[in-house]
């Protein structure tokens, strides 16, 4: 067995594997001997079939199979020993005059090599790391919502100021048909709210979507319009009044505090606000972290330059699936997946250079915290360690779950690394300001 490599360029190589008779002959003979023991051919006793007949009937197929086994085993061993970082899999070069009747064979394989490049996490950038705060307006609004939620609901026939409405927004031409609950003061213009005053259940009010709310993104919530379609949407929608209610707000007393947070946890409006602020900002932190992770990813993709063995990868995509693709289909598939491949290489480089690894203890600790949070959402605030350990063990016995959780753990490690090494400016914003920053408005 002799294996050599010829580098075509920095991203492409050809590996030649020379297989001699000594590499496969003994294996072929053993397989044919085993066939002879079990072969059932009319006119011959079992185990007494002449080897020449076995050779004639099975020889070529066994030769192909055993040579292929030897070939793949030694090629994989070579790639490992040479520490070649390849993309895709080796592609065999088809030879029109290949002759299986020879004793010695030579096979050529094309390789696509991973590019050499560097990743500079400390490079100058214009990235922003957001800290989202729950401002006084948000806290007061949340307190009012809680009072309404736990207050006494009164159904009415006629709309008055301060009422809550159940509306169905429709516009057949634009495929809008959505029922939702809405407060009268949500409209940007007070004149819009006045259109509903005095109306009864079953009445219809025509509304212009342009400038209907202070933020066009609210159209996504109330009209169920796609994000791409809300900007500049200027149509007429019909708002059918399906119901009118008013809430007698709940008193801000200990009974309400206990309903919200458990008996004796908080005892004043100030403590309620502090609790709401704490919980809200934890959720906001997740959103801010995700945006930061996305922004760093885009920055690295844009600023980490390297070439790929594109022609090889397109050819590999043509032949790697169950169904062979045309050259055009493979090219389109490559263009679709190129960005993901580039980030996969960048991420792998970062992980290697910063020794980011996942061990079982990392995975177990992450899963444990996740289970605790999920149990708390369902009111199980103080589960026993035995219960938690049992659930964690069941989750980690599922390979699909292990793979999914491992990705989350690595994403968290990458985020922490980016926070430490990427020099981004810090900015404190309210949630409303964050949404505007996020959508570039």
């Amino acid at each position: 067995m002799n294996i050599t490599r010829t580098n075509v360029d920095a991203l492409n190589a050809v590996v030649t594997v020379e297989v001699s008779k000594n590499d496969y002959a003994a294996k072929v003979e053993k397989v044919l001997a085993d066939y002879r023991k079990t072969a059932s051919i009319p006119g011959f006793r079992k185990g007494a079939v002449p080897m020449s007949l076995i050779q004639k009937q099975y020889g070529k197929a066994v030769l192909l199979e055993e040579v292929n086994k030897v070939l793949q085993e030694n090629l994989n061993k070579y790639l490992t020993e040479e520490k070649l970082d390849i993309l895709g899999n080796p592609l065999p070069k088809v030879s029109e005059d290949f002759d299986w009747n020879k004793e010695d064979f030579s096979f050529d394989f094309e390789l696509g090599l991973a590019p050499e490049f560097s990743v500079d996490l400390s490079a100058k950038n214009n990235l922003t790391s957001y800290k989202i705060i729950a401002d006084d307006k948000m806290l007061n609004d949340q307190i009012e919502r809680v009072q309404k939620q736990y207050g006494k609901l009164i159904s009415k026939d006629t709309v008055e100021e301060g009422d809550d409405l159940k509306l169905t927004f429709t516009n057949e031409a634009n495929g809008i048909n959505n029922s939702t609950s809405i407060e009268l003061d949500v409209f940007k213009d007070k004149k819009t709210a006045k259109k509903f005053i005095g109306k009864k259940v079953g009445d219809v009010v025509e509304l212009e979507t342009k400038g209907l709310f202070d933020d066009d993104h609210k159209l996504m919530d109330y009209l169920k319009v796609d994000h791409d379609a809300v900007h500049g949407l200027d149509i007429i929608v019909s708002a059918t009044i399906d119901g009118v209610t008013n809430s007698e707000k709940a008193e801000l007393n200990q009974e309400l505090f206990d309903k919200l947070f458990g008996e004796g946890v908080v005892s004043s409006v100030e403590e309620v606000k502090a609790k709401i602020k704490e919980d809200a900002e934890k959720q906001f932190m997740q959103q801010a972290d995700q945006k930061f992770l996305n922004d760093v990813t885009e920055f690295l993709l844009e600023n980490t330059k390297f070439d790929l063995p594109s022609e090889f990868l397109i050819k590999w995509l043509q032949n790697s699936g169950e169904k062979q693709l045309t050259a055009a289909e493979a090219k389109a598939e490559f263009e679709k997946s190129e960005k993901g491949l580039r980030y996969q290489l960048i991420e792998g480089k970062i992980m290697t250079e910063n020794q980011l690894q996942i061990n079982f203890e990392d995975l177990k600790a992450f899963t444990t915290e996740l289970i605790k949070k999920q149990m708390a959402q369902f009111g199980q605030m103080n589960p026993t360690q035995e219960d938690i350990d049992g659930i964690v063990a069941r989750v980690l016995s599922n390979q699909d779950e292990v793979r999914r959780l491992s990705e989350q753990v690595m994403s968290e490690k990458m985020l922490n690394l980016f926070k430490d090494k990427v020099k981004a400016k810090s900015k404190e914003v309210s949630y409303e300001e964050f949404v505007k920053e996020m959508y570039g408005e």
Side-chain angles (χ1 to χ4, degrees):
M1 178 74 63
N2 185 39
I3 304 180
T4 57
R5 181 174 83 250
T6 303
N7 290 328
V8 178
D9 55 37
L11 298 173
N12 295 275
V14 175
V15 168
T16 300
V17 184
E18 295 176 352
V19 181
S20 68
K21 185 176 181 179
N22 290 337
D23 296 319
Y24 65 82
K27 295 181 175 65
V28 171
E29 287 175 10
K30 183 180 184 307
V31 173
L32 291 176
D34 290 341
Y35 274 22
R36 187 185 183 202
K37 293 175 186 177
T38 59
S40 179
I41 296 178
F44 298 96
R45 295 194 323 273
K46 193 171 185 179
V49 179
M51 180 56 79
S52 59
L53 192 58
I54 295 293
Q55 176 71 40
K56 183 178 180 181
Q57 188 161 350
Y58 301 108
K60 183 58 70 67
V62 172
L63 173 67
L64 266 64
E65 184 176 352
E66 293 306 315
V67 168
N68 187 57
K69 285 181 182 177
V70 169
L71 181 63
Q72 293 301 325
E73 179 184 342
N74 285 276
L75 178 59
N76 291 336
K77 183 180 177 183
Y78 173 81
L79 296 175
T80 302
E81 288 177 348
E82 292 293 310
K83 297 179 180 177
L84 289 178
D85 192 2
I86 64 173
L87 302 179
N89 292 316
L91 277 178
K93 294 183 74 173
V94 178
S95 176
E96 297 296 334
D97 58 351
F98 193 87
D99 186 2
W100 281 103
N101 292 316
K102 293 181 178 181
E103 293 185 341
D104 298 334
F105 309 103
S106 180
F107 302 91
D108 288 335
F109 292 87
E110 295 179 70
L111 301 182
L113 305 177
E116 292 290 335
F117 61 93
S118 59
V119 181
D120 186 3
L121 293 178
S122 61
K124 186 177 179 181
N125 61 69
N126 59 355
L127 299 174
T128 301
S129 175
Y130 291 96
K131 181 182 179 182
I132 310 172
I133 60 168
D135 57 11
D136 288 339
K137 180 179 181 302
M138 172 175 279
L139 296 177
N140 291 332
D141 288 347
Q142 186 63 25
I143 290 286
E144 189 169 342
R145 273 195 291 272
V146 167
Q147 285 184 277
K148 279 190 171 185
Q149 181 183 347
Y150 286 88
K152 185 178 178 182
L153 200 62
I154 303 169
S155 294
K156 303 172 60 180
D157 292 324
T158 305
V159 181
E160 296 178 287
E161 285 189 19
D163 287 343
D164 296 330
L165 307 180
K166 185 167 173 117
L167 301 177
T168 297
F169 290 106
T170 56
N171 179 297
E172 189 175 343
N174 289 272
I176 296 171
N177 188 340
N178 186 57
S179 295
T180 185
S181 295
I182 199 164
E183 299 173 5
L184 273 179
D185 60 4
V186 78
F187 297 114
K188 182 178 180 180
D189 191 340
K190 290 183 179 179
K191 291 179 182 178
T192 303
K194 287 181 179 178
K195 289 183 179 182
F196 289 90
I197 303 301
K199 299 292 184 183
K200 297 182 179 298
V201 173
D203 287 347
V204 178
V205 177
E206 303 292 326
L207 301 173
E208 294 182 16
T209 57
K210 186 176 181 180
L212 188 59
F213 303 110
D214 58 1
D215 181 353
D216 279 349
H217 293 100
K218 289 180 180 176
L219 291 171
M220 291 190 294
D221 297 325
Y222 292 120
L223 273 63
K224 286 292 181 276
V225 180
D226 290 339
H227 172 261
D228 293 337
V230 300
H231 300 284
L233 184 66
D234 188 5
I235 60 174
I236 301 294
V237 292
S238 298
T240 303
I241 302 173
D242 299 321
V244 184
T245 57
N246 201 312
S247 296
E248 187 178 288
K249 293 181 183 178
E251 287 185 38
L252 293 171
N253 55 25
Q254 193 62 47
E255 182 182 356
L256 179 60
F257 302 157
D258 291 346
K259 284 181 182 177
L260 292 173
F261 302 107
E263 191 172 345
V265 175
V266 298
S267 57
S268 68
V269 174
E270 288 70 28
E271 289 180 5
V272 171
K273 286 186 176 182
K275 187 72 174 167
I276 292 174
K277 182 179 177 68
E278 179 187 355
D279 293 344
E281 290 182 353
K282 280 182 183 177
Q283 294 181 26
F284 294 161
M285 184 184 295
Q286 294 175 4
Q287 295 181 55
D289 283 348
Q290 187 59 55
K291 176 166 175 54
F292 183 64
L293 188 61
N294 293 345
D295 289 348
V296 173
T297 298
E298 290 300 322
F299 171 78
L300 291 174
L301 280 167
E302 187 176 335
N303 291 276
T304 308
K305 305 296 183 183
F306 54 83
D307 293 326
L308 291 171
S310 305
E311 289 185 16
F312 169 83
L313 290 170
I314 290 170
K315 191 187 298 184
W316 175 70
L317 285 169
Q318 255 189 287
N319 299 281
S320 62
E322 292 182 7
K323 176 189 172 186
Q324 186 165 13
L325 302 178
T326 65
E329 288 172 334
K331 185 179 180 183
E333 186 65 28
F334 171 72
E335 289 171 351
K336 212 163 43 171
S337 59
E338 181 180 3
K339 189 174 181 180
L341 173 59
R342 286 183 177 277
Y343 188 69
Q344 189 178 344
L345 291 170
I346 293 170
E347 187 179 52
K349 186 86 168 177
I350 293 171
M351 288 164 59
T352 301
E353 290 182 347
N354 294 276
Q355 299 179 330
L356 296 185
Q357 297 176 334
I358 300 173
N359 57 44
F360 182 74
E361 290 306 314
D362 290 335
L363 194 57
K364 184 178 177 183
F366 180 84
T367 307
T368 298
E369 288 306 308
L370 196 64
I371 296 301
K372 285 181 179 178
K373 289 177 184 176
Q374 290 175 347
M375 294 179 81
Q377 288 175 353
F378 290 97
Q380 294 176 268
M381 307 304 292
N382 297 298
T384 66
Q385 192 60 47
E386 185 179 356
D387 287 341
I388 294 171
D389 289 344
I391 297 172
V392 169
R394 286 197 298 276
V395 169
L396 295 183
S397 67
N398 183 315
Q399 290 305 307
D400 290 336
E401 283 297 301
V402 169
R403 186 162 45 252
R404 184 180 66 82
L405 291 167
S406 295
E407 289 174 357
Q408 292 181 32
V409 172
M410 183 51 70
S411 180
E412 191 173 88
K413 285 177 179 281
M414 293 287 282
L415 173 65
N416 290 333
L417 179 72
F418 291 160
K419 283 183 174 181
D420 181 48
K421 295 200 170 187
V422 176
K423 296 185 173 83
K425 66 178 180 181
S426 299
K427 189 173 183 179
E428 193 172 275
V429 293
S430 68
Y431 185 71
E432 287 185 1
E433 290 169 335
F434 175 73
V435 170
K436 288 179 181 178
E437 294 269 4
M438 194 166 181
Y439 290 106
E441 297 181 356

